[in-house]
């Protein structure tokens, strides 16, 4: 399930993303996981009134259930990254689906609010976290050229599930009570296991087996006919096994890659996201109460959130399609900055809305801008760090966002209680979102684009830079060459074997370079920058 290490002397070239095929099944699974992860903590609020009656607690006590779920979803990011890097995406998602389901099933048998915190809050929240992060990693593995569209479609799962889980929860509450509703919801969460089962890793082992068979076939053709052929092949295999045995203790897999903090783009993105989350979720949380205070009836006030959700469903895929255009994708970070600026200005301009018509207009524009932010946030992160380091990057980003989630909305609620004025809260939240947008745009232009202009451009990839998957392949190739030079000792029939191996390597390199299917290197050569994953490199470096 984990990523297999390449054999000695072979290039660890990643399998090219298919941008379709089984990737559409993976996309559907990611759609379902995203829907459960973001919508479920909000959907359980339907049961809060019944829980308050049964356990004799206040609204703030029951609201901690949703808060704990979200805190687990964001705060356990590094733990998820470590587990994915160690065991792979599929087993982690299967375990996560079982934990999420078990948490809600056990919650249906609880007798006090503390037990609900531990079951529905901690256990279910941890299970959803173990599903959400690996699903995004698999999505980035299967899609490259169509990745912005894939991210937009997957992100649309949040508003779709929110608009369906809340009415479903109300029906279950009326027919079966909150305990029966929790039990059935736990059964629904078992679908996360199904989504985890379809997350089939791209097969790298098949390439290695085919390459090894081709090596033996060409060695038989080049070596003299007779006993020396088998002897040469066995000598080559023995040498490879010896090198592999010596290399194993030296090579260790990083469970959490902190080297991404040396990436200036990642630092800028992380700071911007922290400021963004402080104010992004405040308006939709306070919107219903704000509408009621202005004299809007309860049913019409609740309908405002449905307007945001309906617009959000279409805004996310549409924004993903725009971000995938050839002339937009190299500048996707600036599109993300524009979406945040749009969202912040919507909050500020609508702060003084005093009637239902004004609030409906606010919901329309907020739904568009909110959908744009949701569709682009992980696409920008993938573009910055690449697929190899995305598992560690998203875990660390979610951990940092967890602090902002715990600071922003609670602080806004306390300010409302103290000032009794929603207008100030909307101004404050909008200002925070605008600040994050300006910081991302200005810092990206000053710290990244200007520094890139000073570097001499290459022939085929003028924006080639550091931190790409190609450079990681370079280091592995150089390490393989060092091992081969250390273990190069004369033995019987070594002349024929070495000559055949060199000719064989050159022959394979010529064939692969002619077909454009890989990035081979000859003796002492360095991996060419214009051979592997140029699309991903151009995209990341253009940021």
């Amino acid at each position: 399930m984990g990523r297999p290490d390449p054999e000695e002397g072979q290039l660890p070239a990643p399998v090219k993303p298919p941008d379709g095929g089984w990737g559409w099944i993976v996309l559907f699974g990611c759609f379902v996981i995203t829907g459960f992860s973001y919508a479920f903590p909000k959907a359980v609020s339907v049961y809060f009134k019944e829980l308050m009656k049964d356990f004799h607690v206040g609204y703030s006590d029951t609201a901690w259930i949703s808060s704990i779920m979200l805190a687990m979803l964001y705060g356990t990011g590094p733990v998820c990254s470590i587990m994915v890097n160690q065991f792979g995406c599929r087993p982690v998602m299967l375990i996560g689906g079982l934990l999420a389901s078990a948490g809600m099933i056990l919650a249906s048998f609880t007798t006090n609010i503390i037990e609900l915190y531990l079951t529905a809050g901690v256990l279910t929240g941890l299970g959803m976290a173990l599903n959400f992060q690996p699903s995004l990693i698999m999505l980035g593995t299967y899609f490259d050229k169509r990745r912005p569209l894939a991210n937009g479609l997957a992100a649309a799962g949040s508003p779709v599930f929110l608009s369906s889980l809340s009415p479903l929860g109300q029906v279950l509450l009326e027919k079966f009570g909150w305990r029966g509703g929790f039990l059935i919801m736990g059964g629904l969460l078992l679908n996360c296991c199904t989504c985890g089962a379809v997350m089939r890793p791209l097969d790298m082992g098949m390439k290695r087996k085919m390459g090894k068979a081709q090596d033996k076939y060409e060695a038989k053709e080049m070596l003299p006919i007779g006993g020396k052929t088998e002897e040469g092949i066995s000598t080559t295999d023995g040498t490879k096994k010896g090198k592999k045995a010596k290399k194993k203790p030296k090579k260790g897999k990083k469970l959490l890659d902190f080297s991404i903090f040396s990436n200036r783009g990642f630092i800028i993105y992380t700071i911007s996201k922290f400021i963004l989350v402080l104010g992004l979720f405040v308006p939709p949380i306070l919107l219903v109460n704000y509408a009621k205070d202005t004299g809007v009836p309860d049913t019409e006030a609740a309908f405002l959130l449905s307007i945001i959700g309906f617009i959000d469903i279409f805004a996310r895929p549409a924004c993903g399609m725009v971000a995938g255009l050839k002339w937009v994708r190299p500048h996707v970070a600036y599109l993300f900055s524009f979406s945040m600026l749009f969202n912040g200005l919507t909050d500020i301009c609508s702060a003084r809305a005093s009637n239902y018509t004004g609030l409906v207009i606010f919901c329309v524009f907020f739904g568009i801008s909110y959908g744009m932010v949701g569709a682009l946030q992980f696409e920008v992160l993938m573009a910055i760090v690449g697929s190899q380091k995305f598992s560690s990057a998203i875990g660390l980003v979610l951990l940092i966002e967890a602090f902002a989630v715990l600071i922003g909305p609670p602080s806004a609620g306390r300010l409302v209680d103290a000032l009794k004025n929603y207008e100030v809260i909307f101004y404050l939240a909008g200002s925070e979102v605008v600040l994050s947008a300006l910081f991302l745009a200005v810092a990206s232009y000053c710290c990244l684009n200007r520094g890139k202009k000073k570097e001499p451009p290459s022939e085929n990839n003028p924006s080639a830079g550091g931190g790409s998957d190609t450079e990681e392949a370079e280091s592995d190739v150089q390490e393989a060459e060092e091992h081969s030079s250390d273990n190069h000792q004369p033995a019987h029939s070594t002349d024929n074997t070495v000559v055949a191996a060199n000719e064989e390597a050159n022959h394979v390199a010529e064939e692969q370079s002619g077909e454009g299917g890989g990035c081979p290197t000859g003796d002492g050569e360095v991996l060419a920058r214009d051979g592997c994953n140029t699309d991903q490199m151009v995209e990341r470096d253009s940021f």
Side-chain angles (χ1 to χ4, degrees):
M1 297 295 178
R3 299 180 183 87
D5 294 331
E7 290 185 13
E8 183 70 33
Q10 291 183 348
L11 278 178
V15 179
K16 184 179 179 181
D19 276 311
W22 188 258
W24 298 116
I25 306 297
V26 173
L27 172 59
F28 179 75
C30 191
F31 174 88
V32 175
I33 295 296
T34 303
F36 275 125
S37 300
Y38 279 118
F40 201 85
K42 302 171 187 175
V44 295
S45 61
V46 173
Y47 302 97
F48 283 176
K49 284 189 177 180
E50 293 297 322
L51 294 175
M52 291 165 60
K53 292 179 182 178
D54 283 10
F55 295 143
H56 307 289
V57 294
Y59 180 81
S60 60
D61 296 320
T62 55
W64 271 103
I65 299 174
S66 298
S67 300
I68 293 173
M69 282 186 183
L70 290 174
M72 294 299 294
L73 180 65
Y74 284 97
T76 57
V79 177
C80 298
S81 297
I82 291 173
M83 294 185 67
V84 168
N85 291 334
Q86 181 67 25
F87 304 109
C89 292
R90 182 187 282 176
V92 172
M93 292 183 68
L94 291 174
I95 294 174
L98 292 175
L99 288 178
S101 176
M104 291 303 294
I105 292 174
L106 291 176
S108 65
F109 299 100
T110 55
T111 57
N112 57 66
I113 195 69
I114 302 299
E115 293 177 355
L116 268 178
Y117 293 161
L118 296 176
T119 53
V122 175
L123 202 58
T124 300
L126 177 61
M128 289 190 296
L130 293 178
N131 274 274
F132 176 62
Q133 188 171 319
S135 67
L136 291 177
I137 295 171
M138 290 300 298
L139 191 67
T141 303
Y142 271 86
F143 288 92
D144 180 22
K145 293 182 180 179
R146 296 177 178 173
R147 195 178 65 206
L149 175 61
N151 276 313
L153 291 172
S158 175
V160 169
F161 271 64
L162 181 59
S163 60
S164 57
L165 284 179
S166 296
L168 176 62
Q170 187 64 43
V171 172
L172 294 177
L173 178 63
E174 294 173 357
K175 290 191 174 182
F176 305 103
W178 71 267
R179 294 186 184 274
F182 274 24
L183 190 65
I184 295 174
M185 288 288 217
L188 288 177
L189 285 175
L190 283 174
N191 287 293
C192 295
C193 294
T194 305
C195 296
V198 303
M199 299 294 173
R200 184 176 64 194
L202 290 177
D203 190 12
M204 296 178 68
M206 185 61 68
K207 265 192 171 183
R208 298 214 325 270
K209 290 179 180 179
M210 292 176 65
K212 189 174 180 181
Q214 184 180 8
D215 290 348
K216 287 189 176 183
Y217 173 77
E218 295 189 5
K220 287 181 179 179
E221 287 186 338
M222 294 179 181
L223 288 174
I225 300 175
K228 290 184 178 181
T229 303
E230 298 298 329
E231 184 181 354
I233 295 173
S234 61
T235 305
T236 306
D237 290 343
T239 307
K240 286 185 178 180
K241 289 180 182 178
K243 291 176 183 177
K244 190 174 180 182
K246 288 185 178 181
K247 186 179 178 181
K248 272 188 178 179
K250 293 185 79 174
K251 190 160 186 173
K253 185 184 294 183
K254 290 183 179 180
L255 298 181
L256 195 61
D257 191 357
F258 289 97
S259 66
I260 54 176
F261 283 106
S262 62
N263 187 333
R264 288 180 295 178
F266 177 75
I267 297 295
I268 294 171
Y269 175 86
T270 304
I271 297 175
S272 176
K273 276 302 294 290
F274 180 84
I275 302 173
L276 170 70
V277 173
L278 287 175
L280 181 64
F281 302 122
V282 172
I285 291 175
L286 301 179
L287 178 62
V288 175
N289 290 332
Y290 178 39
K292 291 179 180 179
D293 286 353
T294 58
V296 177
D298 292 354
T299 54
E300 294 181 2
F303 184 69
L304 292 174
L305 290 179
S306 301
I307 295 175
I308 294 178
F310 181 77
I311 299 296
D312 195 5
I313 291 174
F314 298 98
R316 297 193 183 211
C319 184
M321 293 178 65
V322 173
L325 298 176
K326 291 184 179 180
W327 55 275
V328 175
R329 192 172 184 185
H331 310 289
V332 67
Y334 296 105
L335 180 61
F336 182 49
S337 178
F338 170 76
S339 66
M340 293 190 292
L341 182 64
F342 184 17
N343 185 271
L345 292 177
T346 301
D347 295 341
I348 294 174
C349 295
S350 305
R352 305 190 68 176
S354 56
N355 53 45
Y356 190 70
T357 303
L359 290 175
V360 169
I361 295 174
F362 161 75
C363 290
V364 171
F365 285 99
F366 185 86
I368 295 173
S369 59
Y370 189 77
M372 293 175 65
V373 172
L376 295 174
Q377 56 179 342
F378 297 117
E379 168 61 26
V380 174
L381 181 60
M382 290 179 186
I384 294 172
V385 301
S387 58
Q388 297 295 324
K389 296 184 179 181
F390 181 70
S391 59
S392 296
I394 188 176
L396 295 171
V397 167
L398 290 177
L399 176 62
I400 295 171
E401 286 184 23
F403 293 102
V405 169
L406 295 176
I407 294 172
S411 300
R414 292 194 176 188
L415 286 175
V416 169
D417 294 336
L419 302 176
K420 305 297 181 182
N421 188 351
Y422 287 94
E423 183 178 333
V424 176
I425 306 303
F426 274 73
Y427 280 130
L428 181 60
S431 300
E432 290 169 343
V433 177
V434 169
L435 177 61
S436 67
L438 295 177
F439 175 80
L440 178 63
V442 174
S444 299
Y445 178 78
C446 296
C447 298
L448 299 180
N449 285 2
R450 287 188 176 180
K452 195 170 54 175
K453 288 178 182 178
K454 296 179 182 178
E455 299 177 0
S458 60
E459 295 180 2
N460 295 329
N461 189 10
S463 60
S468 65
D469 301 338
T470 312
E471 292 182 351
E472 295 176 7
E474 271 188 48
S475 61
D476 286 343
V477 171
Q478 292 174 358
E479 185 180 358
E481 291 176 354
E482 290 175 3
H483 278 281
S484 63
S485 61
D486 293 339
N487 295 326
H488 184 66
Q489 295 179 356
H492 64 284
S493 69
T494 52
D495 294 337
N496 292 334
T497 304
V498 172
V499 171
N502 289 335
E503 292 178 354
E504 165 198 346
N506 292 333
H507 183 60
V508 173
E510 290 174 1
E511 285 186 353
Q512 292 183 347
S513 62
E515 296 174 356
C519 303
T521 57
D523 233 352
E525 291 180 353
V526 179
L527 186 66
R529 287 191 180 275
D530 57 348
C532 274
N533 277 340
T534 53
D535 292 337
Q536 295 179 3
M537 289 170 60
V538 169
E539 175 191 342
R540 289 197 292 275
D541 298 323
S542 297
F543 172 80

